[in-house]
């Protein structure tokens, strides 16, 4: 989260405040708190893994991407994370929606002055 470039103001200030709360220090604080208290009082920890991070781990540890995903998931669960989500499908939906928007804009290019260009990107953070 500290890698956010604030490139497109994609978050409102309220969302930004919530994202700011999700940092490494808070993550480890909750992990330690969960270890000390009764399981009925645990705070649920969920981690999402973006598709871009898995090839990095795979290359770094000389693993296949699938093996890297399994090991990373296992490691996070061994720390006490309750849920680990792969956001590949969300990235796929994002690409499909960008594609759909581009086709619509391209078809309107002669009727609408500002239909093109269209700028799109995935968050580098």
């Amino acid at each position: 989260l500290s890698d956010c470039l604030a490139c497109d103001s994609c978050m409102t200030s309220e969302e930004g405040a919530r994202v700011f709360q999700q940092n490494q220090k808070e993550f480890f604080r909750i992990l330690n708190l969960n270890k000390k208290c009764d399981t009925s009082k645990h705070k649920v920890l969920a981690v999402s893994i973006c598709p871009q991070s898995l090839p990095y781990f795979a290359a770094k540890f000389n693993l296949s991407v699938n093996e890297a995903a399994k090991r990373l998931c296992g490691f996070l669960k061994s720390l006490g994370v309750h849920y680990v989500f792969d956001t590949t499908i969300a990235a796929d939906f994002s690409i499909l929606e960008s594609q759909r928007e581009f086709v619509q804009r391209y078809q309107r290019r002669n009727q609408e002055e500002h239909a093109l260009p269209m700028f799109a990107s995935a968050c580098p953070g």
Side-chain angles (χ1 to χ4, degrees):
L1 295 171
S2 63
D3 292 337
C4 178
L5 304 174
C7 56
D8 196 20
S9 302
C10 60
M11 295 186 294
T12 65
S13 59
E14 184 179 314
E15 290 166 329
R18 277 187 256 139
V19 167
F20 183 74
Q21 293 171 349
Q22 300 174 22
N23 58 51
Q24 183 179 356
K25 186 177 177 182
E26 181 67 6
F27 177 74
F28 285 112
R29 187 185 75 75
I30 298 298
L31 282 175
N32 288 327
L33 183 67
N34 282 355
K35 288 178 186 174
K36 295 176 184 175
C37 69
D38 185 289
T39 56
S40 66
K41 297 179 183 178
H42 278 191
K43 288 193 175 189
V44 176
L45 287 169
V47 172
S48 61
I49 300 174
C50 68
Q52 297 90 338
S53 63
L54 292 176
Y56 166 79
F57 284 112
K60 181 162 179 67
F61 297 107
N62 199 26
L63 302 166
S64 70
V65 174
N66 285 340
E67 186 62 26
K70 288 177 188 175
R71 289 192 184 191
L72 184 57
C73 181
F75 170 71
L76 290 166
K77 289 201 170 212
S78 75
L79 290 177
V81 171
H82 297 92
Y83 300 100
V84 180
F85 297 101
D86 179 347
T87 60
T88 301
I89 193 164
D92 291 346
F93 282 129
S94 176
I95 290 168
L96 289 172
E97 285 301 308
S98 292
Q99 173 191 3
R100 185 184 60 75
E101 182 180 352
F102 175 76
V103 169
Q104 288 174 346
R105 285 169 168 261
Y106 184 79
Q107 291 170 343
R108 294 190 323 252
R109 74 188 181 283
N110 294 326
Q111 292 86 24
E112 225 177 277
E113 182 182 348
H114 299 291
L116 292 176
M118 176 183 141
F119 298 102
S121 71
C123 174

